[in-house]
Amino acid sequence: MCNKSGPRPWGLFGSILGTLNHIIVGDTIWLKRFAIHPACLRSLQEVADIPNPKSLDHIVFNDIARLSEHRFWLDRIIINWTTELSESDLDFILSYQNTKGISATKRYSSLVLHFFNHQTHHRGQVSTLLSQAGVDIGVTDLLAEIQEETHAL
């Protein structure tokens, strides 16, 4: 299921595994850029030291077990990084080059929003691919996970 098979369309990255690898590639590229922020050097140092992905469709891991292990590692880094961020850190202006070498200068808060939106977008694609393959992925609506409050304001 994680590799391309049959006539079924398997998304922009060729397979579920390809899409999951793309999320890791995107996260790695952005976290390495975010590491430039003066407040983030400590929490993002581990990512800053790993090699840059070769392309946006680079297959970093050919098996789901190794990919999952790396995903948990990245998620731990992301949690630590967001815990360290303050509101004033989000006003930082970040200059970077995209994967085509084009320079950009953008507000950190907007780039952080893009970072999480990118994950959500492609995780939604994986959910769709799994559902199309007949896998019951359970409830994915965030509203179902938000606890009911006892008092309205």
Side-chain angles (χ1 to χ4, degrees):
M1 213 171 6
C2 285
N3 295 318
K4 189 187 298 183
S5 65
R8 187 183 309 263
W10 286 101
L12 183 61
F13 298 98
S15 68
I16 293 168
L17 187 63
T19 304
L20 292 172
N21 269 283
H22 172 71
I23 298 169
I24 284 178
V25 165
D27 285 359
T28 302
I29 289 168
W30 279 107
L31 291 170
K32 288 172 74 68
R33 289 174 185 159
F34 293 153
I36 295 168
H37 192 299
C40 297
L41 289 176
R42 187 173 44 110
S43 60
L44 297 178
Q45 191 58 54
E46 289 179 83
V47 175
D49 293 339
I50 63 174
N52 287 322
K54 295 176 183 152
S55 65
L56 293 175
D57 60 355
H58 178 74
I59 300 298
V60 183
F61 300 100
N62 284 313
D63 67 270
I64 196 73
R66 290 184 59 225
L67 184 141
S68 294
E69 182 180 311
H70 189 76
R71 178 76 262 163
F72 285 118
W73 177 77
L74 270 180
D75 288 344
R76 179 185 51 80
I77 289 171
I78 292 166
I79 290 166
N80 291 341
W81 163 61
T82 58
T83 300
E84 289 181 359
L85 282 175
S86 69
E87 192 171 332
S88 63
D89 291 333
L90 296 173
D91 289 332
F92 183 73
I93 304 300
L94 181 70
S95 294
Y96 65 94
Q97 289 187 337
N98 70 13
T99 57
K100 295 177 183 176
I102 299 169
S103 295
T105 302
K106 301 189 183 220
R107 185 167 304 280
Y108 202 79
S109 59
S110 298
L111 297 173
V112 171
L113 180 62
H114 167 73
F115 172 77
F116 286 110
N117 185 66
H118 180 262
Q119 283 188 0
T120 303
H121 169 71
H122 289 299
R123 287 176 185 206
Q125 289 177 331
V126 170
S127 295
T128 298
L129 293 170
L130 288 168
S131 292
Q132 289 173 345
V135 175
D136 180 1
I137 60 170
V139 176
T140 60
D141 192 345
L142 179 60
L143 185 58
E145 300 298 321
I146 298 173
Q147 293 182 351
E148 192 69 33
E149 297 295 329
T150 56
H151 294 86
L153 295 179

